[in-house]
Amino acid sequence: MDKFSNHIKNILHGFFLAIGTTIAEPSTILPLIVNYFGGSSMLVGFFAALLRGGAIIVQLFAAFHAQSYQLMMPYLRRIFFIRFLSWFFIGIAIILFGENYPNVTLASIGFGLFMFSFSAGFAAIYFREIMAKIFSHKFRGKTMAYRQFFSAVGGLLSGALAAWILESFEPPYSYGYLFIISSFIMGFGYLSFSLVDEPVKEEVSKKESSFKKFLHNSFALLKADKALQTQITTFLFAYGYLIALPFIILDAQQKIELDGIAIGSLITTQMVGAMLSNFLWGKLSGSGYNTLTAKVAISMQITAILLASNASSLFEYMIIFFLVGASIDGNRIASSNLILKLAPADKRPVYIALQMNIVSLGMFFSIAGGVILHFLNYTVLYSTAVVALLFALYFSFKLKD
């Protein structure tokens, strides 16, 4: 375990993947793209949820099969290829159909996002299982902090690249170029992790005779494990920030001037927050303080939403996105390390899938946010998000390292 070469490949994967996916960050550029083609606030919320949450549909099915696999990498490589093609397709569709066929363009974006996110359901199970096999518990916190640090560096580069493309080309071509260029960049990340040295797993579970029986056994595990229930409840409500996040940029667009430079600055600020925060998350998680990591990250999210309700300048929005970037990475490290520590080795894919499936329902909170904004206003939107996060903070005090 803890091979330096695997550590480097994990970092490179995160770095290139961040450059690629930040191009369509659901809190900044993606809402602007959907809005440009005439999409409503409800569609913005749906697409943001689709990009983040489409994976939950298949995670338990992936775990059903993965629990008996001794090697995950052959399957993960196939998923990487599908994700590359999905992202590339979105860019081509935007250029081909563009504003002449806005409904076709939006449908193509939705299909591409679904395939990209749907395939991630399989990738998430395979990836975390590989991480558990190649890194020890404490080193995993360290390598993930390094990964997220350099992912944030990639995000900084992505922000600069996005700003240059948006300023150099007119929409919709600029949006199409964003996806096409970023698909090849994230391809380098997929190639890097595909070369990880994965050991053969000896402790595997015998696959049940049917998926129905697997589901019954999985939820029996959930019902019996109180610690898992608390963990799932905490991180489900921690996604409460998504009720408001995709719409903060639209709120800002009404209050301040948002050109390509300003949008790139917000992306860059979010990535700086993620990058710098990983010094803190790495120290806390590496010392075994994953529950404290969760508490601090959730508190940052609450602060960001409260600031958004009164923000009226670019500087204030930069602070908001800085806190968002920091908090997302903190929650990701805490939830990932806590589930891998809690789960027995033979049932690890099942525990991972249970947590990710249920917690990932929170990724659809942005749909609720779109409905709230469509019928009510930003005050109600931000208040609802804060209430959800306060529930998360309450349950986080029941977590155990």
Side-chain angles (χ1 to χ4, degrees):
M1 300 186 86
D2 301 339
K3 287 185 179 180
F4 183 73
S5 60
N6 286 342
H7 175 50
I8 296 300
K9 291 167 188 173
N10 179 44
I11 292 172
L12 289 174
H13 176 229
F15 173 73
F16 287 114
L17 190 62
I19 296 178
T21 55
T22 305
I23 288 293
E25 226 293 318
S27 58
T28 48
I29 294 180
L30 183 60
L32 297 176
I33 293 176
V34 176
N35 188 61
Y36 176 82
F37 290 112
S40 66
S41 61
M42 295 177 69
L43 190 62
V44 170
F46 177 73
F47 276 9
L50 196 60
L51 180 56
R52 286 191 168 104
I56 70 172
I57 301 171
V58 296
Q59 282 173 10
L60 277 171
F61 183 74
F64 167 58
H65 292 284
Q67 62 180 325
S68 61
Y69 295 162
Q70 290 185 303
L71 288 172
M72 303 287 170
M73 189 58 75
Y75 305 97
L76 185 58
R77 288 176 183 141
R78 297 171 194 171
I79 297 300
F80 283 163
F81 183 65
I82 293 172
R83 284 167 67 78
F84 165 80
L85 287 180
S86 302
W87 207 251
F88 181 76
F89 166 78
I90 294 174
I92 294 297
I94 290 174
I95 290 177
L96 286 179
F97 303 117
E99 56 193 2
N100 293 325
Y101 306 96
N103 291 335
V104 176
T105 303
L106 288 172
S108 299
I109 293 172
F111 176 76
L113 291 177
F114 174 75
M115 290 303 299
F116 185 79
S117 185
F118 184 87
S119 59
F122 290 91
I125 302 298
Y126 304 150
F127 173 77
R128 293 201 182 191
E129 176 66 14
I130 291 171
M131 292 292 287
K133 290 166 69 176
I134 64 178
F135 299 123
S136 62
H137 178 62
K138 286 197 173 181
F139 190 83
R140 195 159 50 239
K142 177 181 178 181
T143 190
M144 287 306 293
Y146 272 99
R147 175 191 169 95
Q148 292 186 173
F149 175 85
F150 284 99
S151 293
V153 173
L156 288 176
L157 297 176
S158 180
L161 176 63
W164 178 77
I165 292 175
L166 291 172
E167 284 292 306
S168 301
F169 303 96
E170 291 293 323
Y173 296 103
S174 57
Y175 298 142
Y177 296 150
L178 285 175
F179 278 94
I180 292 172
I181 294 171
S182 62
S183 66
F184 286 98
I185 294 174
M186 72 171 65
F188 288 111
Y190 292 149
L191 179 62
S192 299
F193 200 82
S194 294
L195 300 176
V196 158
D197 183 18
E198 179 194 7
V200 176
K201 183 180 180 181
E202 302 298 335
E203 297 179 66
V204 295
S205 294
K206 184 178 179 180
K207 188 167 68 173
E208 288 88 344
S209 57
S210 68
F211 184 54
K212 181 179 179 181
K213 187 175 181 180
F214 166 77
L215 289 176
H216 180 270
N217 292 341
S218 297
F219 285 101
L221 283 175
L222 174 62
K223 188 176 180 181
D225 197 327
K226 298 297 182 183
L228 179 59
Q229 293 172 23
T230 301
Q231 208 162 286
I232 287 173
T233 303
T234 300
F235 292 109
L236 172 61
F237 280 109
Y239 273 119
Y241 75 96
L242 289 180
I243 295 172
L245 183 59
F247 310 101
I248 292 176
I249 192 73
L250 299 181
D251 190 21
Q253 195 175 36
Q254 297 175 11
K255 297 177 180 177
I256 61 175
E257 183 179 349
L258 279 182
D259 56 14
I261 301 298
I263 296 168
S265 298
L266 292 177
I267 296 174
T268 299
T269 305
Q270 183 173 336
M271 294 306 108
V272 168
M275 181 175 64
L276 296 181
S277 70
N278 279 288
F279 291 109
L280 173 62
W281 308 141
K283 180 67 175 176
L284 291 176
S285 183
S287 300
Y289 298 122
N290 289 295
T291 60
L292 179 59
T293 299
K295 294 182 184 74
V296 174
I298 294 167
S299 298
M300 285 182 173
Q301 290 169 343
I302 293 172
T303 304
I305 302 301
L306 290 174
L307 288 174
S309 63
N310 293 299
S312 58
S313 68
L314 180 61
F315 178 72
E316 289 173 300
Y317 281 106
M318 290 174 72
I319 294 175
I320 291 166
F321 281 97
F322 179 92
L323 291 172
V324 167
S327 62
I328 290 174
D329 275 15
N331 268 334
R332 186 183 297 124
I333 281 186
S335 62
S336 178
N337 283 342
L338 285 169
I339 192 60
L340 292 178
K341 184 66 174 176
L342 180 66
D346 61 328
K347 290 295 181 184
R348 195 159 48 217
V350 181
Y351 268 67
I352 293 170
L354 277 170
Q355 175 165 303
M356 293 187 70
N357 263 259
I358 300 173
V359 167
S360 294
L361 291 173
M363 294 182 180
F364 293 101
F365 284 167
S366 57
I367 297 178
V371 173
I372 291 171
L373 187 58
H374 183 78
F375 291 104
L376 298 169
N377 53 51
Y378 279 102
T379 300
V380 178
L381 181 78
Y382 294 141
S383 299
T384 306
V386 169
V387 169
L389 290 170
L390 287 173
F391 273 110
L393 187 60
Y394 168 75
F395 282 106
S396 71
F397 283 91
K398 297 185 177 183
L399 292 173
K400 295 179 180 179
D401 280 304

